[in-house]
Amino acid sequence: MHLGDSLTDHFRLADTHKAALAKLGIKTVRDLLYHFPARYEAAGSEAQIAGVVSGQEITLVGTLEKLEAKKGWKSRIPMTEGYLVDASGKIKLRWFNQPYIAKMYANGTLVRASGKITGSEGKLYMANPQLQKVSATEVGLFTSQKSPEKKVLGSPVSAKPQEAGRPDHFFQDFSAPSPSDFFAVYPESRGVSSLWFRSAVKKILEQKIEAEDPIPASMLKKYNLPTLRTALVWVHTPHNLKDAEAARKRFAFEEVFMIQLERGRERAEQAREKSYSINAPRQDIDAFMREFPFESTTAQKRAIDAILKDMYSGRPMSRLLEGDVGSGKTAVAATAAFAAVRTRPEGQTFGTLQVAYMAPTEILAKQHFLSFIKYFEHFPINIGLITGSGCYKFPSKVKRGAATAISRTQLLKWVAGGEIPVVIGTHALIQKSVQFKHLALVIIDEQHRFGTNQRKKLARKEVRLPHLLSMTATPIPRTLALTVYGDLDLTLLDEMPPGRKPIITELVKPNERAKAYALMHEQLAAGRQAYVICPRIDEPDPDKAFALMAKSVKEEAKRLKKEIFPDYSIEILHSKMKPAEKDAVMQKFAAHEIDILVATSVVEVGVNVPNATMIFIEGAERFGLAQLHQLRGRVVRSNHQAYCFVCPESRGETTLARLKSLITAKNGFELAEQDLLQRGPGQLAGGKQWGISDVGMEALKNLKLVEAARAEATALIAKDSTLKTNPLLAQTLAERAGTMHFE
Ligand code: ADP
Ligand code: MG
């Protein structure tokens, strides 16, 4: 059996299993073995119902009793209720919006129920538990393993010496599997349960597998990491938690190492490419900056220096500019663009190099277009705007100082001919039909990754790779930045323009909204606008245990209109709306046809409505601090005093303490680090979007590990950038590229 084999070569899979596995992205033996447990539970110490406490995520074994479909007493929500009973007692089970559960299980069925204990003392219940039928013998198997030391979950018992006899011939000889002391609980999907994973993985581990370790042995030794074989056994069937942890650490290292190798290779590839040598005279650039209606901050000047140095070198720049909302990234981008368009194509005495500026949304593209027109007021050039819904050019032939709508064909012709040096747009910019004559600089705003391939695609027929300036306000911790942006040089804009009134942030206790509303009334009357952010779109969310408590955009908008702000126009915005609808609402908000915008966190991405000076965030504890900080960033752009009201649902001390750091922290990056430490990597807004697995995300708490993996990868690439001498690594990378998409 090879790791690369398709699962169907070795398993007979039912269609439901196939579908479920496909959903989890599991196709090969490797995929299955790299589908790591989400957690472990001590065998034989399955929790007893009598001992549960509120807030616990737990798995209980017992029999079902008194299952029935009913309607919520007040809410009238359809649900199933029943009890789980074991020798120690019973607990209520409750499924919201799933009345059919009652029909799916017979009373008396023995099940393993996993879920969160909710409610208050005396009224505890398990909310929306996942059920798994178990056979009595299976339970017997687990409970017979009882031994006192194994109960100490979380505090690893003394490890057997690492790499001791067992693992190395494990693959050959597993004829008498000893039951693991801990059993693995896997991330599940409808159709494949943890039980299924456990038995499938066991079957594989019992066989002979051809699996060479992609991590060089010397490296494993240096960092005291288990071999691939050992780690696979330890991660799925650990004898103790220390083994499981060692295995996870190894896989985390492996993943970060692989990502770093990819990035390193990308970087090496870029370094071999030629790019445009920008040669705009420095005094012209200084003159351009002097025309700004403000004095640049030291951080802005530093960033511009770094960018110019890159672009003057003739080697392609790959730089990430990270700065909080409002730190003035656009001015930096405009200066970089100026340097490019102030440079003539090689051997030409006319024409200029070109710049493409890509924004994530149409609204933002339009905003950048208008900003650029202003920044280039004293150095008038043609600026184009390409979006899905139309094209514009500045200046207009008939009306100088204004932009006009033009046909796409006409715009594309001018871009291809080099007559329009700066083109701003959405993703529409990377369509094939957009051809540049001399594309020297690509600026991208808030897109997570933009690799060499996309750069090449934009450059089309050109032999030179355009310079890349990537900009983001998304605060992420250093370890994550090092990992996902390993191929970019980093510049921080860690200074805010002076003279801005600091935003007033207040914690509002759930039943003390009145004072905040009074202030909002005052500000609305003075002509300002407000955002109200809710965690959810609809009422209620069947998948969430706390569904009934979380405020929803739709309900809250109705409530505010009816009870609090009847005289103001209120509209909603959320992610399930069509892009055109969202755009229309945002336009109306920007034009002050809407006073209060009740929204989910979709407004997070940098939309600029200077007159919106208030943001009220409901259910604040559901957001990460970094995300709250970004939401708050929606209102820092104005000269008016801005307010941010942070209102959690719970009044818990820890919640309030955590939210207080929004008032004390200096910037978003500090908050992102706090999120990582306090809430764990899972809260860093979805590993998926960064192309990192859960185990990889765990590594981000460990700066040393990330730095080690990076140093090793960099050293390897420096010696052998194409990995000629290490075909196994090269192949592993190629396989990864096939399954993971970073761009
Ligand atoms: P972001 O970094 O969020 O993209 P912007 O570039 O949109 O920030 O800048 C936010 C606002 O700050 C703009 O109105 C811009 O004109 C202004 N600004 C930028 N740099 C400075 C500065 N050095 N001094 C004063 N205002 C500035
Ligand atoms: Mg911006």
Side-chain angles (χ1 to χ4, degrees):
M1 188 189 288
H2 288 266
L3 284 185
D5 291 353
S6 165
L7 274 182
T8 48
D9 297 348
H10 301 282
F11 287 88
R12 205 175 295 157
L13 296 174
D15 283 348
T16 47
H17 286 159
K18 270 190 212 151
L21 290 170
K23 240 195 196 153
L24 293 167
I26 298 173
K27 288 193 209 89
T28 64
V29 172
R30 175 187 285 107
D31 295 340
L32 182 63
L33 290 179
Y34 274 70
H35 183 70
F36 301 132
R39 63 197 157 93
Y40 303 91
E41 276 167 25
S45 62
E46 273 187 317
Q48 304 224 300
I49 290 172
V52 303
V53 291
S54 189
Q56 218 174 358
E57 292 263 9
I58 204 170
T59 298
L60 299 165
V61 173
T63 47
L64 294 172
E65 275 186 16
K66 294 191 183 155
L67 281 186
E68 59 174 332
K70 47 161 74 168
K71 286 237 161 95
W73 177 60
K74 255 201 207 145
S75 60
R76 308 307 299 154
I77 294 168
M79 59 167 81
T80 295
E81 278 191 355
Y83 290 90
L84 186 74
V85 184
D86 74 3
S88 73
K90 65 176 181 176
I91 184 164
K92 186 168 257 184
L93 307 177
R94 206 173 250 164
W95 293 266
F96 300 103
N97 281 316
Q98 300 173 65
Y100 47 85
I101 298 262
K103 290 211 190 75
M104 287 169 59
Y105 294 89
N107 286 323
T109 310
L110 183 62
V111 294
R112 180 174 284 133
S114 306
K116 188 161 186 170
I117 305 297
T118 308
S120 53
E121 206 53 57
K123 283 187 188 164
L124 292 179
Y125 65 96
M126 197 180 236
N128 301 325
Q130 296 245 354
L131 294 188
Q132 201 182 93
K133 285 185 198 168
V134 288
S135 66
T137 51
E138 193 207 338
V139 178
L141 176 73
F142 288 122
T143 46
S144 69
Q145 291 298 309
K146 217 163 209 162
S147 88
E149 52 168 3
K150 286 167 205 146
K151 282 195 194 152
V152 272
L153 250 182
S155 61
V157 286
S158 67
K160 309 188 169 74
Q162 289 209 355
E163 311 281 324
R166 171 170 69 103
D168 266 332
H169 32 84
F170 192 87
F171 282 75
Q172 285 84 9
D173 175 24
F174 199 85
S175 48
S178 62
S180 171
D181 301 356
F182 288 87
F183 64 90
V185 182
Y186 291 87
E188 297 176 9
S189 164
R190 195 190 287 266
V192 281
S193 61
S194 279
L195 208 58
W196 187 91
F197 278 114
R198 284 201 288 272
S199 85
V201 165
K202 191 171 137 230
K203 264 187 217 147
I204 293 178
L205 290 182
E206 279 166 9
Q207 307 203 19
K208 226 182 175 137
I209 302 181
E210 315 273 335
E212 261 190 279
D213 199 329
I215 310 268
S218 58
M219 219 180 279
L220 293 177
K221 201 155 167 226
K222 184 166 166 191
Y223 298 107
N224 195 23
L225 299 168
T227 63
L228 175 60
R229 291 167 172 226
T230 306
L232 282 173
V233 173
W234 284 0
V235 82
H236 291 289
T237 56
H239 271 288
N240 56 56
L241 288 177
K242 201 164 172 184
D243 285 355
E245 233 162 69
R248 296 179 88 88
K249 195 170 145 200
R250 181 232 135 90
F251 287 117
F253 180 90
E254 177 179 330
E255 181 164 346
V256 176
F257 178 64
M258 292 297 168
I259 295 175
Q260 294 293 355
L261 277 179
E262 272 160 12
R263 300 290 187 267
R265 231 168 30 167
E266 188 136 304
R267 189 184 264 272
E269 203 174 291
Q270 280 162 19
R272 280 194 296 273
E273 302 268 349
K274 268 195 77 163
S275 194
Y276 287 94
S277 227
I278 304 295
N279 60 16
R282 185 65 212 224
Q283 63 268 29
D284 287 12
I285 289 167
D286 292 339
F288 180 77
M289 290 168 66
R290 268 199 304 277
E291 297 294 347
F292 291 167
F294 46 73
E295 168 74 19
S296 299
T297 63
T298 315
Q300 281 171 319
K301 286 181 194 155
R302 227 184 315 115
I304 288 165
D305 284 346
I307 289 165
L308 293 177
K309 192 159 166 249
D310 288 349
M311 296 202 302
Y312 284 168
S313 77
R315 293 280 160 214
M317 165 169 78
S318 300
R319 190 164 286 278
L320 175 70
L321 183 64
E322 250 189 304
D324 265 354
V325 169
S327 58
K329 294 184 289 296
T330 319
V332 176
T335 310
F338 173 79
V341 302
R342 184 65 190 79
T343 302
R344 296 226 183 276
E346 220 169 82
Q348 263 181 234
T349 51
F350 58 94
T352 79
L353 296 182
Q354 288 175 295
V355 179
Y357 186 168
M358 200 158 91
T361 65
E362 208 163 310
I363 308 171
L364 279 169
K366 280 180 193 152
Q367 251 172 38
H368 293 328
F369 180 59
L370 296 177
S371 302
F372 263 53
I373 291 173
K374 284 241 172 67
Y375 281 119
F376 280 86
E377 217 164 23
H378 304 275
F379 185 80
I381 50 164
N382 291 326
I383 304 177
L385 174 68
I386 302 186
T387 70
S389 65
C391 296
Y392 295 82
K393 177 182 157 286
F394 174 89
S396 148
K397 280 227 171 80
V398 279
K399 205 170 140 207
R400 299 223 48 97
T404 45
I406 61 170
S407 78
R408 193 181 152 80
T409 326
Q410 183 58 64
L411 184 85
L412 293 183
K413 221 171 102 195
W414 279 330
V415 173
E419 284 107 330
I420 298 192
V422 175
V423 187
I424 297 170
T426 52
H427 261 85
L429 260 184
I430 25 182
Q431 280 161 13
K432 254 220 185 90
S433 52
V434 188
Q435 304 268 351
F436 292 85
K437 187 145 197 223
H438 297 291
L439 181 60
L441 170 64
V442 174
I443 303 169
I444 62 169
D445 196 13
E446 288 302 342
Q447 339 237 341
H448 290 135
R449 284 201 48 74
F450 192 87
T452 313
N453 283 342
Q454 275 161 305
R455 264 162 102 171
K456 281 207 171 121
K457 250 203 252 159
L458 252 174
R460 314 285 175 222
K461 328 167 270 201
E462 296 193 52
V463 285
R464 298 179 211 221
L465 198 63
H467 297 289
L468 174 73
L469 175 63
S470 187
M471 305 194 294
T472 179
T474 308
I476 59 174
R478 198 174 126 71
T479 46
L480 182 57
L482 278 177
T483 305
V484 282
Y485 299 124
D487 54 333
L488 303 180
D489 297 307
L490 189 68
T491 300
L492 281 184
L493 275 192
D494 51 4
E495 181 188 352
M496 279 299 201
R500 270 227 191 103
K501 290 190 190 118
I503 182 159
I504 297 178
T505 301
E506 286 200 36
L507 286 183
V508 179
K509 294 203 175 133
N511 55 348
E512 294 171 5
R513 290 185 176 82
K515 212 175 112 201
Y517 287 153
L519 205 147
M520 286 173 74
H521 261 294
E522 222 171 78
Q523 294 289 307
L524 286 164
R528 305 282 88 76
Q529 291 160 276
Y531 298 99
V532 175
I533 307 297
C534 297
R536 299 195 305 95
I537 300 171
D538 277 303
E539 197 90 14
D541 180 343
D543 297 329
K544 296 271 157 59
F546 293 117
L548 296 173
M549 287 143 67
K551 291 230 177 213
S552 82
V553 165
K554 290 178 185 168
E555 289 303 311
E556 183 65 3
K558 274 188 221 155
R559 184 185 77 89
L560 289 175
K561 181 75 191 173
K562 201 167 144 220
E563 295 173 18
I564 317 284
F565 303 110
D567 301 334
Y568 292 97
S569 86
I570 300 180
E571 289 205 32
I572 63 172
L573 183 74
H574 57 76
S575 55
K576 291 227 173 98
M577 288 160 60
K578 296 203 186 80
E581 289 173 339
K582 274 194 264 185
D583 253 24
V585 170
M586 263 336 284
Q587 309 274 19
K588 274 173 77 181
F589 190 59
H592 201 166
E593 287 159 37
I594 299 171
D595 297 303
I596 302 172
L597 188 62
V598 184
T600 51
S601 51
V602 289
V603 288
E604 216 179 302
V605 178
V607 176
N608 190 2
V609 180
N611 194 47
T613 58
M614 295 167 282
I615 185 161
F616 193 112
I617 306 170
E618 294 280 358
E621 71 269 53
R622 289 158 187 277
F623 300 100
L625 293 174
Q627 201 186 0
L628 289 169
H629 176 72
Q630 274 192 294
L631 285 168
R632 174 170 62 180
R634 296 300 102 234
V635 297
V636 299
R637 288 161 183 268
S638 142
N639 296 323
H640 302 288
Q641 178 62 55
Y643 300 88
C644 173
F645 302 102
V646 181
C647 184
E649 279 148 21
S650 104
R651 310 167 50 118
E653 288 294 313
T654 40
T655 300
L656 291 180
R658 194 170 71 83
L659 293 176
K660 276 218 178 84
S661 36
L662 276 173
I663 301 171
T664 52
K666 281 192 287 300
N667 56 47
F669 307 104
E670 200 179 296
L671 291 168
E673 298 286 346
Q674 281 190 34
D675 275 342
L676 179 63
L677 294 177
Q678 292 170 6
R679 311 212 323 161
Q683 296 300 328
L684 292 176
K688 293 273 160 9
Q689 95 186 23
W690 306 106
I692 301 179
S693 76
D694 292 347
V695 160
M697 293 297 278
E698 280 172 30
L700 300 178
K701 269 193 169 180
N702 189 339
L703 181 62
K704 274 210 186 104
L705 185 151
V706 171
E707 281 178 339
R710 183 175 159 84
E712 294 293 345
T714 312
L716 217 100
I717 293 289
K719 260 194 283 174
D720 172 14
S721 69
T722 54
L723 298 176
K724 266 197 307 288
T725 56
N726 202 328
L728 178 61
L729 264 184
Q731 187 199 334
T732 312
L733 279 186
E735 280 167 17
R736 273 180 61 87
T739 50
M740 306 275 264
H741 297 280
F742 289 99
E743 297 167 359

